[in-house]
Amino acid sequence: MEPTREPARFWMWTRFTFLITETLWCSAAGCKTSYISTSKTILDQLAMQHRLEFRLILTQRYACDIWVICFLRERALGNSPCRLVRQLRENHSREWLKFLCRYFGACTDFADRPCLLPITFQEPPEPVVIPSHRWMLAVYGRDILSRLDHIKAKITCTFGSVLKMDSTKKITKKLSGLAKGTALWLTSVSNEVGQILISVLTAQERPALDIMAADLIRRYSNAGVAPPRLLYVDTECCREDRVQTKLKQRFGGWPDLIVRLDIYHFMRRLTSGCTKDSHPL
């Protein structure tokens, strides 16, 4: 690859820095692919101790320090990309005013000195515009891709002895863009402390969960962890003729698994079964 140098603006919390980086162009015949020197394709070829030295996330025009994007990792109420952009603008404006005051002070010292010729000063530079919240989300997405292997490892090392499986349509209704309308159900399995073991998007609620159940059973087996004892669901928990339900067959790799109806749906069914117009409970 042939390197070419291009400047990139480096966004930090309190100051501006100009960074010179390289864009690598593939010299193979018929290949016109270009790579930024700190892109994921290049960084994946380095050892972990060398990769950690790159504290920047670069895009085509701008760059951002990783610790700025770290504020978006804890997504909570009030912690949004718009809030981060507002905070950046406030901090950058404060720093710009500080440097502006220093510049005017230095100009005043020169203007007060006796001189034969009139002294002219250059206009101070305008403050650089902070990127939008959409750019922050794009950089945040690149940060997630750089930690994808760690996220997968952290999720797949989560286990539990009491599981809860539930499906919902609320999440899939929020899908937009090309993913809109491609899935109807989001099914998640969590443990007794609320940690998510696995989540899948499916077009149907029940028949498409066989692969999910098989992968979950295989995960427990490969890790040498004891199978769970209980599984709480909202349907298909039991039958009157004592024949195995489809859900029990789906988790056939755990023959001792006890499937029960969770307390929330039990209370709803108890109320609907005991409450009547003639005798409201």
Side-chain angles (χ1 to χ4, degrees):
M1 293 184 179
E2 300 176 358
T4 59
R5 298 184 179 274
E6 293 182 357
R9 286 174 181 172
F10 173 30
W11 294 92
M12 283 192 64
W13 190 262
T14 57
R15 65 181 182 272
F16 300 100
T17 304
F18 287 93
L19 174 71
I20 303 299
T21 183
E22 294 181 347
T23 300
L24 305 178
W25 299 84
C26 183
S27 59
C31 182
K32 302 295 183 180
T33 307
S34 62
Y35 299 95
I36 302 177
S37 57
T38 55
S39 64
K40 187 176 183 297
T41 305
I42 304 300
L43 293 180
D44 287 342
Q45 304 176 21
L46 302 177
M48 182 59 65
Q49 63 272 20
H50 296 148
R51 182 173 179 176
L52 294 177
E53 297 298 327
F54 293 90
R55 302 285 303 171
L56 307 179
I57 301 177
L58 296 183
T59 59
Q60 194 66 27
R61 292 186 57 190
Y62 303 113
C64 183
D65 192 283
I66 185 64
W67 67 279
V68 175
I69 300 301
C70 286
F71 286 95
L72 290 178
R73 292 183 180 178
E74 296 295 333
R75 298 302 300 274
L77 185 62
N79 184 23
S80 63
C82 295
R83 175 186 175 276
L84 179 61
V85 170
R86 290 194 299 267
Q87 189 67 45
L88 284 173
R89 288 174 180 171
E90 178 182 351
N91 290 353
H92 278 286
S93 299
R94 184 173 61 251
E95 291 297 321
W96 180 76
L97 290 175
K98 183 189 301 182
F99 287 116
L100 194 65
C101 182
R102 292 179 182 175
Y103 175 73
F104 285 149
C107 293
T108 302
D109 294 339
F110 279 100
D112 293 340
R113 297 177 183 178
C115 184
L116 297 177
L117 299 177
I119 301 177
T120 59
F121 302 98
Q122 295 182 354
E123 292 292 332
E126 296 292 331
V128 181
V129 179
I130 303 295
S132 64
H133 66 281
R134 296 182 182 273
W135 183 84
M136 290 292 177
L137 283 178
V139 178
Y140 179 63
R142 297 195 179 196
D143 172 54
I144 294 177
L145 290 178
S146 65
R147 299 181 292 112
L148 191 59
D149 294 337
H150 172 72
I151 294 174
K152 289 182 178 180
K154 189 175 181 180
I155 294 176
T156 54
C157 68
T158 304
F159 301 95
S161 58
V162 179
L163 304 183
K164 168 69 168 64
M165 187 174 70
D166 193 13
S167 301
T168 180
K169 284 187 176 181
K170 295 181 180 179
I171 303 299
T172 55
K173 291 181 180 179
K174 298 181 180 180
L175 296 177
S176 60
L178 298 177
K180 185 177 181 180
T182 58
L184 295 178
W185 292 92
L186 173 68
T187 303
S188 301
V189 179
S190 59
N191 58 12
E192 60 269 22
V193 294
Q195 297 174 329
I196 301 297
L197 274 67
I198 189 172
S199 293
V200 293
L201 290 169
T202 58
Q204 298 179 358
E205 185 180 9
R206 296 305 172 192
L209 300 181
D210 296 336
I211 300 178
M212 182 200 72
D215 289 342
L216 194 58
I217 295 173
R218 189 182 306 111
R219 184 195 303 180
Y220 272 77
S221 178
N222 295 339
V225 179
R229 298 178 290 103
L230 290 172
L231 174 64
Y232 288 101
V233 293
D234 58 352
T235 185
E236 296 185 8
C237 56
C238 57
R239 285 185 178 179
E240 294 182 357
D241 52 3
R242 295 186 179 181
V243 179
Q244 282 190 349
T245 62
K246 293 182 179 180
L247 183 63
K248 186 67 176 179
Q249 296 174 2
R250 184 175 291 123
F251 290 93
W254 294 332
D256 298 332
L257 181 66
I258 302 175
V259 181
R260 291 289 184 266
L261 184 67
D262 66 85
I263 186 63
Y264 173 72
H265 292 86
F266 172 77
M267 294 173 63
R268 293 183 59 182
R269 297 186 185 187
L270 180 65
T271 303
S272 61
C274 296
T275 304
K276 298 181 180 179
D277 296 337
S278 59
H279 184 195
L281 180 62

